[in-house]
Amino acid sequence: LNDSALENIVKKRMETCDANERFRWTYKLVDGVCTDSQAFQTAAQFGIPDSIILRAEELSSYLATGDSFQRPIGNHQPPINDSHPVRKEAEIEEQLSMAAELVEDISGGRPLHIKPRWSSPPSFEGSSCVYVLHVGSRFYVGETDVLSQRIRQHRSKGGDWAVAAAVVVKVDGGKTDARNLESRLIQTFAQQGLDLLSTRDGRRIKPSW
């Protein structure tokens, strides 16, 4: 296009917002350029099966990095990115199992394991939950209502964060109960002598009524 034509072009995108940490569309056209399609969150909210979303995220990560992708379609085992140190799967599973036991003991719920580079199930979106990330040999405990977004934010830090596995449990009582559980888990992990990356919220326990 010539310069005169470009002067008449205005870039637009659909407006979105994170109301109470929950992604939603406003269906309004605003100025700007869309830098994140929110494709995975959109697919999850409209009921696309977990297996399809997981496979799409795997392929997307390889397209973004330019790495080769040689696994056959239909094999849903998580890919290995050679740009990061690869820890032995048995060691990771052992440490995650220990974290899961503590989460189950404190919460009374059944925790879910999320393997490195795997996304959270869509069924967790919009639910209050508490998660434990295994980062190198350390643990990070957090709470959120938008699990997939929060895990992506953590993994975007790179290094050991990029291949962090997770243990997550839903909290039926909402955000206050989730924050209380987060604090109790931080305290319990510290008492067990586990190396924590998150300690700031360990003293924050509030009544849930």
Side-chain angles (χ1 to χ4, degrees):
L1 297 176
N2 57 40
D3 292 341
S4 60
L6 290 173
E7 291 176 357
N8 296 318
I9 295 176
V10 178
K11 295 177 181 179
K12 296 284 186 177
R13 63 179 179 84
M14 181 185 289
E15 185 181 50
T16 61
C17 67
D18 291 316
N20 297 321
E21 292 192 332
R22 297 189 181 188
F23 169 81
R24 68 180 181 86
W25 304 268
T26 64
Y27 297 100
K28 295 179 180 178
L29 199 61
V30 297
D31 291 336
V33 178
C34 177
T35 58
D36 186 349
S37 69
Q38 303 288 353
F40 300 128
Q41 280 189 291
T42 302
Q45 291 190 31
F46 281 91
I48 301 299
D50 293 359
S51 59
I52 294 177
I53 297 174
L54 291 173
R55 179 61 172 170
E57 287 199 327
E58 291 175 10
L59 292 170
S60 176
S61 67
Y62 274 78
L63 291 172
T65 60
D67 293 338
S68 61
F69 194 91
Q70 299 177 348
R71 292 192 300 109
I73 298 295
N75 181 352
H76 298 300
Q77 293 300 316
I80 294 176
N81 187 337
D82 292 333
S83 64
H84 298 286
V86 180
R87 298 181 298 274
K88 293 182 180 179
E89 185 174 350
E91 180 183 349
I92 295 174
E93 287 299 324
E94 180 180 356
Q95 294 182 348
L96 281 174
S97 294
M98 176 176 59
E101 289 178 6
L102 292 174
V103 171
E104 186 170 5
D105 289 344
I106 299 299
S107 70
R110 185 175 180 180
L112 172 75
H113 287 223
I114 301 176
K115 295 183 179 182
R117 292 197 170 278
W118 283 53
S119 62
S120 61
S123 58
F124 276 73
E125 291 307 303
S127 299
S128 295
C129 60
V130 172
Y131 60 94
V132 178
L133 292 178
H134 181 256
V135 185
S137 60
R138 308 177 73 183
F139 291 96
Y140 180 94
V141 182
E143 60 82 23
T144 184
D145 290 340
V146 282
L147 181 62
S148 62
Q149 177 179 322
R150 189 60 58 84
I151 289 180
R152 282 198 301 272
Q153 289 172 345
H154 286 305
R155 288 175 174 169
S156 68
K157 298 175 184 177
D160 286 333
W161 288 94
V163 289
V167 172
V168 60
V169 65
K170 283 187 180 182
V171 181
D172 293 333
K175 200 166 189 67
T176 297
D177 283 0
R179 286 177 172 172
N180 288 345
L181 176 58
E182 175 195 24
S183 298
R184 294 177 63 193
L185 284 173
I186 290 173
Q187 293 173 5
T188 302
F189 274 51
Q191 291 167 1
Q192 294 292 322
L194 300 175
D195 195 359
L196 282 169
L197 290 163
S198 51
T199 58
R200 183 184 63 182
D201 297 326
R203 297 183 299 275
R204 182 184 63 191
I205 299 180
K206 300 178 181 178
S208 57
W209 56 86

